[in-house]
């Protein structure tokens, strides 16, 4: 009984650890499990039903256990690892035979609900959950072809998690698949608790302003990415899928676009491109025209802008940065606060505070219009992580425009384009265009 006592000492600080003796086909077996993860009474009932069909086939315990589970070494660390993963372990003391099996688990996950961070106009209203097994089933409902392949990895030494790699065998590029496999294999020892850890595991630069992968909780988006030849990763207890690689085209293309007529689809995508350019360039253009190059404007427009900035004590750069910081604080507060309070904070910050700032002559009324419009335009970008990148580039252009005017604005645009062209995601250039869909000939 040394193993039983060693395990009891190992789990001495685990109040949910359970060790009991059960009787199967005349054998007394020790059961090890966590009762917060395993439905022990139902599992024992299932085992009793299962072994009824084995009467006469198991002449000794070494023949019984492999028929109901997977044989394993009777080692404290190996058994503890299986127990902590939510499995059940059976052990026969006299012969020291040991096996692990999948028990009936206690239901700890929520039911499939509607997406919380992404809106769907035409498409499935289901979303991914924390349970990776449920996510596999949801994705298979949207990708029913025989070419869908799944590879499972266990990552992390201290806190192991299951990482699943999905791809379509007839669509994925072999170099992309092999590159991803190699990076996962080389980083399997790293624990994953957030997306920065995933970036480190995939050996991507964590100091890049551009996201190297897209995150989605919509199954149809993950299935569409697979059809484009991309790779989808799922991690246990992460309620979303990770799409690799991330490309610039993902900022304005999404699966729902294909539910519109073709001309409307292209118009919507063109509108998103206009939103991306407006959110990035317009604030810097305002600063350049107001503070450095007012001679570019028509006389009537220049006088109108000068009138709106009358009695404003700060230069254009300072008032723009201050108001942008206030807008970022309002947006951050609306995200963190409860849903019942968030809209109220947004209204107070966006309307009352803005109107008060104009009345107090702290900022110009034209700047309120410019920044409100660009904030709305940045929200038209597909993917929240992509809109954050646009905000960073916006500040770069504002600073360069305040120093060098229109020349600085144009230089900043060139620098940003060069930076984006330099970036890669899993060896794929960021500015590359996804290949055509082989089935319907439409772009992603």
């Amino acid at each position: 009984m040394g193993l039983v006592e060693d395990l009891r000492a190992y789990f001495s600080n685990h109040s949910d650890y359970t060790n009991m003796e059960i009787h199967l086909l005349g054998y007394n077996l020790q059961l090890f499990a966590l009762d917060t993860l395993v439905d022990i009474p139902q599992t024992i009932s299932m085992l009793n039903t299962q072994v009824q069909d084995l009467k006469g086939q198991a002449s000794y315990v070494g023949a019984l256990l492999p028929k109901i589970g997977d044989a394993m070494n009777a080692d404290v660390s190996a058994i503890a690892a299986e127990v902590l993963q939510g499995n059940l372990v059976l052990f026969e003391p006299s012969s020291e035979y040991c096996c692990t099996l999948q028990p009936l688990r206690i239901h700890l996950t929520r039911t499939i609900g509607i997406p919380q961070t992404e809106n769907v106009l035409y498409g499935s209203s289901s979303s991914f959950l924390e349970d990776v097994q449920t996510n596999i089933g949801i994705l298979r409902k949207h990708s029913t072809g025989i070419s869908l392949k799944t590879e499972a990895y266990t990552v992390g030494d201290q806190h192991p998690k299951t990482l699943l790699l999905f791809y379509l065998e007839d669509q994925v590029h072999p170099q992309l698949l092999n590159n991803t496999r190699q990076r996962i294999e080389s980083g399997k020892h790293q624990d994953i608790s957030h997306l920065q850890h995933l970036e480190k595991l995939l050996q991507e630069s964590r100091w890049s302003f551009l996201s190297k992968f897209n995150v989605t909780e919509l199954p149809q988006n993950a299935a569409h990415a697979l059809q484009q030849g991309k790779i989808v990763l799922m991690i246990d207890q992460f309620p979303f899928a990770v799409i690799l690689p991330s490309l610039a085209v993902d900022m304005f293309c999404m699966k729902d676009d294909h539910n519109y007529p073709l001309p409307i689809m292209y118009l919507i995508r063109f509108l998103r491109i206009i939103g991306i350019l407006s959110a990035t360039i317009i604030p810097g253009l305002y600063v350049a025209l107001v503070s450095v190059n007012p001679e570019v404007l028509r006389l009537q427009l220049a006088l109108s802008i000068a009138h709106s900035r009358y009695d404003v004590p700060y230069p254009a750069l300072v008032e723009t940065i201050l108001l942008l910081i206030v807008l970022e604080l309002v947006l951050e507060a609306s995200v963190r606060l409860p849903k019942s309070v968030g809209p109220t904070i947004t209204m107070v910050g966006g309307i009352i505070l803005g109107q008060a700032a104009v009345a107090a002559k702290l900022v110009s009324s034209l700047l309120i219009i410019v920044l409100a419009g660009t904030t709305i335009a940045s929200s038209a970008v597909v993917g929240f992580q992509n809109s954050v990148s646009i905000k960073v580039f916006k500040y770069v252009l504002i600073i360069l425009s305040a120093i060098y005017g229109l020349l600085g604005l144009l230089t900043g645009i060139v620098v940003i384009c060069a930076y984006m062209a330099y970036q890669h995601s899993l060896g794929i250039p960021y500015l590359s265009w996804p290949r055509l869909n082989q089935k319907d000939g439409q772009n992603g």
Side-chain angles (χ1 to χ4, degrees):
M1 299 296 291
L3 178 64
V4 177
E5 296 173 353
D6 291 342
L7 283 171
R8 187 177 294 115
Y10 186 93
F11 288 101
S12 59
N13 294 327
H14 294 72
S15 61
D16 55 348
Y17 170 70
T18 299
N19 168 224
M20 64 175 62
E21 185 176 293
I22 63 174
H23 188 75
L24 291 178
L25 290 183
Y27 302 107
N28 294 322
L29 305 177
Q30 293 291 326
L31 179 149
F32 310 111
L34 297 179
D35 57 19
T36 53
L37 299 178
V38 178
D39 191 338
I40 295 179
Q42 292 295 330
T43 301
I44 294 176
S45 176
M46 178 193 69
L47 288 173
N48 287 321
T49 303
Q50 184 178 357
V51 299
Q52 294 302 318
D53 300 331
L54 300 177
K55 287 184 177 180
Q57 302 180 24
S59 58
Y60 64 102
V61 69
L64 171 66
L65 293 183
K67 293 181 180 295
I68 61 177
D70 298 325
M72 62 176 298
N73 295 327
D75 179 70
V76 174
S77 59
I79 295 177
E82 292 292 330
V83 170
L84 291 173
Q85 290 179 9
N87 296 328
L88 184 141
V89 178
L90 296 177
F91 173 69
E92 205 284 318
S94 61
S95 62
E96 295 189 353
Y97 280 108
C98 187
C99 78
T100 178
L101 56 93
Q102 292 286 335
L104 295 177
R105 302 183 185 275
I106 295 178
H107 188 70
L108 298 176
T109 58
R110 56 187 171 89
T111 58
I112 299 174
I114 62 175
Q116 299 295 322
T117 60
E118 297 178 86
N119 294 325
V120 181
L121 294 180
Y122 298 102
S124 173
S125 296
S126 60
S127 61
F128 290 123
L129 303 178
E130 294 84 359
D131 182 28
V132 71
Q133 298 297 326
T134 305
N135 292 342
I136 296 175
I138 295 174
L139 183 59
R140 286 194 179 277
K141 287 286 187 179
H142 289 79
S143 184
T144 57
I146 191 64
S147 63
L148 177 63
K149 305 298 180 181
T150 307
E151 298 179 7
Y153 300 88
T154 300
V155 297
D157 293 335
Q158 300 296 326
H159 306 282
K161 289 183 180 291
T162 300
L163 184 147
L164 298 176
L165 185 149
F166 295 88
Y167 61 92
L168 294 182
E169 190 175 27
D170 57 347
Q171 299 283 346
V172 68
H173 195 284
Q175 183 179 358
L176 173 63
L177 180 59
N178 293 333
N179 192 12
T180 305
R181 285 171 174 168
Q182 293 173 2
R183 298 190 184 195
I184 294 176
E185 287 288 349
S186 62
K188 288 174 60 176
H189 63 282
Q190 301 178 21
D191 294 316
I192 297 180
S193 59
H194 47 71
L195 293 181
Q196 288 185 9
H197 285 166
L198 181 60
E199 283 184 335
K200 185 177 180 180
L201 182 144
L202 295 174
Q203 301 174 21
E204 294 287 348
S205 174
R206 295 191 294 169
W207 293 98
S208 174
F209 292 111
L210 298 173
S211 176
K212 297 306 177 66
F213 43 72
N214 291 321
V215 176
T216 182
E217 62 174 342
L218 300 180
Q220 60 265 31
N221 287 351
H224 184 60
L226 291 173
Q227 295 170 7
Q228 291 181 311
K230 296 184 178 181
I231 289 174
V232 172
L233 298 180
M234 288 185 184
I235 307 171
D236 196 16
Q237 300 307 311
F238 280 51
F240 47 76
V242 179
I243 300 174
L244 299 170
S246 175
L247 305 177
V249 69
D250 296 329
M251 288 188 180
F252 54 87
C253 294
M254 61 186 305
K255 172 65 175 176
D256 280 353
D257 298 342
H258 294 285
N259 294 317
Y260 297 97
L262 192 62
I264 303 300
M265 181 187 77
Y266 285 121
L267 287 175
I268 291 175
R269 292 182 174 180
F270 178 74
L271 187 62
R272 294 196 188 111
I273 295 175
I274 295 298
I276 294 173
L277 296 178
S278 300
T280 309
I281 298 175
I282 295 301
L285 182 62
Y286 169 83
V287 173
L289 294 179
V290 168
S291 60
V292 182
N293 300 112
E295 69 278 0
V296 177
L297 299 172
R298 294 185 60 183
L299 180 60
Q300 294 84 350
L301 181 58
L303 291 176
S304 177
I305 294 175
H307 179 71
S308 68
R309 298 196 72 254
Y310 184 73
D311 286 339
V312 175
Y314 306 112
L317 175 63
V318 175
E319 66 168 341
T320 302
I321 295 297
L322 287 177
L323 194 56
L324 280 174
I325 292 175
V326 172
L327 287 175
E328 296 295 345
L329 291 174
V330 171
L331 292 176
E332 185 67 16
S334 64
V335 171
R336 305 303 168 193
L337 288 174
K339 293 182 178 180
S340 58
V341 183
T344 303
I345 296 298
T346 304
M347 181 186 67
V348 171
I351 300 177
I352 300 178
L353 187 60
Q355 184 63 32
V358 174
K361 300 295 183 180
L362 297 178
V363 296
S364 66
S365 56
L366 179 60
L367 181 61
I368 295 289
I369 298 173
V370 169
L371 295 188
T374 55
T375 302
I376 295 173
S378 64
S379 301
V381 180
V382 177
F384 179 76
Q385 66 275 10
N386 292 326
S387 65
V388 174
S389 301
I390 289 177
K391 292 178 182 178
V392 174
F393 295 146
K394 174 174 62 179
Y395 287 103
V396 174
L397 293 182
I398 288 175
I399 295 174
L400 290 176
S401 299
I403 299 174
Y404 301 108
L406 292 177
L407 180 60
L409 178 65
L410 295 176
T411 303
I413 294 174
V414 173
V415 170
I416 291 173
C417 292
Y419 176 78
M420 296 174 67
Y422 174 75
Q423 296 298 309
H424 290 74
S425 178
L426 290 176
I428 306 298
Y430 185 75
L431 294 182
S432 61
W433 188 272
R435 61 195 175 113
L436 294 179
N437 188 302
Q438 297 179 358
K439 294 183 178 180
D440 56 15
Q442 292 181 347
N443 289 336

